Amino acid sequence: MKDKGNEFTLTDPDPKWSVEAVMHFYANTYPTLTTAKTVGPEITNDTVLYRFETTMGTKG
């Protein structure tokens, strides 16, 4: 997840869930995810990575 220039990793709560379901799950903890966009997938070392990038707090 990328928020206000900071990037950190969220674990997958359930591999069967869709990307949107995971984002909704974490939105309870990170409210900025309600307006985030999904970027990806990016495959690296047998890992599928999606990024949640928020646009809140930026103008333009």
Side-chain angles (χ1 to χ4, degrees):
M1 179 176 149
K2 188 173 185 179
D3 185 27
K4 298 178 185 171
N6 298 317
E7 191 169 315
F8 50 98
T9 302
L10 303 173
T11 59
D12 189 351
D14 190 334
K16 297 176 188 169
W17 290 2
S18 68
V19 176
E20 291 79 19
V22 172
M23 188 163 50
H24 181 71
F25 172 80
Y26 279 112
N28 292 321
T29 306
Y30 304 102
T32 55
L33 286 178
T34 59
T35 60
K37 66 177 181 174
T38 304
V39 178
E42 177 182 318
I43 301 172
T44 306
N45 298 326
D46 295 328
T47 302
V48 179
L49 176 71
Y50 288 89
R51 295 183 186 276
F52 301 137
E53 295 184 355
T54 61
T55 57
M56 201 167 172
T58 59
K59 294 183 180 181

